[in-house]
Amino acid sequence: MAVAGAILGAAFGGWMNDKFGRKKSILVADFLFFIGAMIMAVAPASWVIIIGRIFVGLGVGMASMTSPLYISEASPARIRGALVSTNGLLITSGQFLSYLINLAFTRAPGTWRWMLGVAGIPALVQFILMLSLPESPRWLYRQNKPDEARAILEKIYPANEVEEEMKALQSSIEAEKAEEASIGNGLIAKVKSAWKNDVVRRGLYAGIAVQVAQQFVGINTVMYYSPTIVQLAGYASNKTALALSLITSGLNALGSIVSMLTVDRYGRRRLMILSMIGIIVSLLVLSTVFFEASSHSPAISQFESSHFGGNSTCSSYLTAQDASSWNCMKCLKASSECGFCANQPNKFLPGACLAASNAAKDACRTEHRTWYTKGCPSRIGGLAVAFLGAYIILYSPGMGTAPWIVNSEIYPLRYRGIGGGIAAVSNWISNLIVSETFLTLTEALGSSGTFLLFAGFSFLGLVAIYFLVPETKGLPFEEVEKMLEKGYRPSFFSKKKGVDPS
């Protein structure tokens, strides 16, 4: 429900950004998130938690497209990418911190209430600090407040560049107002005119492409289900899986720092292309590793299974015609009511396929054996975890932050809120599709097939980025608009010489 709320928040936030400004939109997002966190913390029933999650989702969706936009418009062009990447760093650092906080509250009275309630503190802090910050200078100029816009630009740019920025703003906004007079100022009219406008439509192709690609590489399934994926790699202990998932969250934050240091030097497009290539390689390796782990999982021994008594053996195994060919993975896939009890002292030797009951699990652990329900013992499980870490490190600097940077700078000012909102909605819808289908896909295709599918989606994303997304590194917003007016073609297909799109 939080993701569903985020979709609505992103859609509503686009309109609100253009109508009331970036600052007020962020304040509203903070308020909604704080209220949602408080509702969940004091919830007397599960349906109240759902309402709280919707409020939190509305706040997250609105902030997800407004914060990069606000930072981008209040930043000098030469360091704009690094400052927007800071937003990504704070998000990933917050995810890492939330793991630690949740771990700290696991033994506190009212555990889950503290976990949910404490999430409202950052929103409250940001709300208070945001009151002292100015509005976006570009939005102010658009609202016929040039003096206020100039005062803010004078704090951002050197004195000799302020007048140039003001002239560029004036030229751009006069052209937009002339167009607006013939179209109208309603929300529906704006959306229609956005798709009819060549510049905005080309910007939306690029903006939506990178946002959809960001989700269909499978990153949020890795973040949401990293403990499950680690268990699929053969680590049965919940504590070990949670500890390794904490590491993956830390790697995501580390990658955001790399983005801050490189995005304004090497460019958004180049980082995304390199990131996608690394993601595809990592997913292909993960697919291969999981396939090998599944194919070579320990066999099922009839002796080991009957060792715990006939009533403890999994019924699917007892009735199977090909029981002699079963291995651990086939046992687990046969039914959710089956579990694997590893051999002792060597977990890679044939083990037992037992009913996934508390009694069978206790009997298995009493003999100091390891109990598996999601994955199987594997000699190459460490390799899977290593490439899971590589996948995140390669994702974070490029596809983790660059799509938000691109969407904060690729639309004309008048359409920046609407364009960013449409792209953010596509991001959250993609997030919902991928996260809701991941477990179903792993059951239908297996872990190997699922990662192979994501590799295929990633390749399509790479092609879309190569053909649709121009480089915006260091360009003033007005120059980005002029570039899109001419239309973008990658250099390999362009007849123009001496143009480096990356």
Side-chain angles (χ1 to χ4, degrees):
M1 293 308 295
V3 177
I7 294 171
L8 295 175
F12 180 71
W15 168 80
M16 189 172 183
N17 266 271
D18 285 337
K19 183 73 173 178
F20 300 106
R22 300 15 171 168
K23 179 177 177 177
K24 289 180 181 176
S25 297
I26 292 175
L27 289 171
V28 170
D30 290 334
F31 176 76
L32 289 171
F33 192 99
F34 179 79
I35 293 298
M38 294 303 101
I39 289 174
M40 290 190 293
V42 301
S46 57
W47 64 268
V48 181
I49 295 179
I50 293 174
I51 293 175
R53 286 183 64 80
I54 293 173
F55 271 88
V56 166
L58 287 169
V60 169
M62 192 177 294
S64 69
M65 56 83 53
T66 307
S67 297
L69 183 59
Y70 176 77
I71 296 169
S72 177
E73 291 186 345
S75 305
R78 62 184 180 277
I79 58 169
R80 189 169 60 220
L83 291 178
V84 177
S85 292
T86 304
N87 180 61
L89 172 63
L90 294 174
I91 291 172
T92 53
S93 298
Q95 290 172 338
F96 179 74
L97 187 61
S98 70
Y99 276 103
L100 294 178
I101 290 173
N102 289 345
L103 191 61
F105 280 125
T106 51
R107 303 197 178 191
T111 299
W112 63 269
R113 293 187 185 276
W114 283 106
M115 290 179 178
L116 297 174
V118 76
I121 295 176
L124 178 62
V125 171
Q126 181 171 281
F127 183 93
I128 295 171
L129 294 177
M130 198 71 204
L131 293 172
S132 63
L133 294 177
E135 180 55 85
S136 160
R138 285 170 172 77
W139 185 84
L140 287 171
Y141 198 103
R142 187 73 178 75
Q143 302 303 309
N144 298 315
K145 299 177 180 178
D147 293 337
E148 293 181 39
R150 177 185 287 274
I152 297 169
L153 288 174
E154 286 174 348
K155 297 177 181 179
I156 298 172
Y157 289 92
N160 60 329
E161 295 181 17
V162 172
E163 196 59 40
E164 185 180 343
E165 283 293 317
M166 290 295 292
K167 287 180 180 179
L169 272 176
Q170 182 181 4
S171 174
S172 175
I173 289 172
E174 283 178 357
E176 289 176 6
K177 285 186 175 180
E179 181 185 355
E180 185 179 81
S182 63
I183 295 173
N185 200 34
L187 177 61
I188 303 299
K190 259 193 172 182
V191 173
K192 287 182 178 179
S193 66
W195 286 105
K196 291 178 181 178
N197 185 298
D198 288 343
V199 173
V200 184
R201 187 175 64 254
R202 288 165 184 158
L204 283 169
Y205 288 158
I208 292 173
V210 295
Q211 294 285 32
V212 172
Q214 184 190 61
Q215 294 302 320
F216 272 89
V217 300
I219 183 61
N220 276 318
T221 61
V222 171
M223 300 309 295
Y224 295 158
Y225 300 112
S226 54
T228 300
I229 293 171
V230 169
Q231 288 182 330
L232 287 170
Y235 294 90
S237 167
N238 285 331
K239 289 183 179 179
T240 301
L242 286 171
L244 289 172
S245 65
L246 183 63
I247 293 173
T248 62
S249 180
L251 291 174
N252 198 19
L254 180 63
S256 299
I257 297 175
V258 175
S259 176
M260 288 175 57
L261 299 174
T262 57
V263 72
D264 284 316
R265 182 176 180 181
Y266 298 108
R268 295 81 162 113
R269 173 183 162 84
R270 182 173 296 166
L271 278 184
M272 285 191 290
I273 288 175
L274 291 174
S275 178
M276 288 296 278
I277 292 171
I279 286 168
I280 292 169
V281 171
S282 297
L283 287 171
L284 289 175
V285 172
L286 282 169
S287 177
T288 303
V289 168
F290 276 104
F291 177 79
E292 288 297 316
S294 175
S295 302
H296 297 90
S297 63
I300 299 298
S301 164
Q302 185 175 1
F303 172 77
E304 287 288 325
S305 299
S306 59
H307 165 74
F308 293 92
N311 292 333
S312 296
T313 305
C314 176
S315 58
S316 298
Y317 174 71
L318 289 173
T319 58
Q321 298 294 320
D322 59 342
S324 60
S325 65
W326 274 38
N327 61 16
C328 168
M329 192 57 67
K330 193 162 186 178
C331 168
L332 299 185
K333 285 184 176 181
S335 170
S336 59
E337 298 178 359
C338 294
F340 178 76
C341 182
N343 199 306
Q344 176 65 22
N346 189 339
K347 63 182 179 181
F348 301 114
L349 293 176
C353 185
L354 305 179
S357 63
N358 289 331
K361 179 171 67 174
D362 291 342
C364 176
R365 289 178 172 172
T366 299
E367 297 189 5
H368 304 289
R369 300 175 180 226
T370 307
W371 177 256
Y372 294 86
T373 55
K374 293 190 172 95
C376 295
S378 173
R379 298 181 190 274
I380 56 175
L383 187 61
V385 173
F387 271 91
L388 192 63
Y391 165 86
I392 292 171
I393 277 288
L394 291 164
Y395 165 88
S396 187
M399 290 307 297
T401 55
W404 297 106
I405 300 172
V406 169
N407 272 282
S408 70
E409 56 193 14
I410 204 166
Y411 308 108
L413 178 59
R414 176 174 171 258
Y415 293 99
R416 204 160 288 156
I418 291 293
I422 292 172
V425 167
S426 70
N427 181 287
W428 286 107
I429 289 176
S430 301
N431 181 320
L432 182 64
I433 292 171
V434 173
S435 60
E436 288 297 314
T437 58
F438 176 72
L439 293 180
T440 303
L441 285 172
T442 56
E443 290 177 6
L445 304 177
S447 303
S448 175
T450 302
F451 282 115
L452 186 61
L453 181 64
F454 283 143
F457 287 143
S458 300
F459 176 75
L460 295 177
L462 174 61
V463 172
I465 290 169
Y466 181 80
F467 283 103
L468 297 175
V469 184
E471 182 54 75
T472 55
K473 175 188 71 172
L475 294 177
F477 292 118
E478 293 72 27
E479 290 298 320
V480 175
E481 186 174 345
K482 289 178 182 177
M483 177 175 59
L484 290 175
E485 281 178 3
K486 300 173 184 177
Y488 173 73
R489 298 180 73 187
S491 60
F492 184 79
F493 294 89
S494 178
K495 295 180 180 179
K496 295 182 181 181
K497 295 182 179 180
V499 178
D500 180 9
S502 62

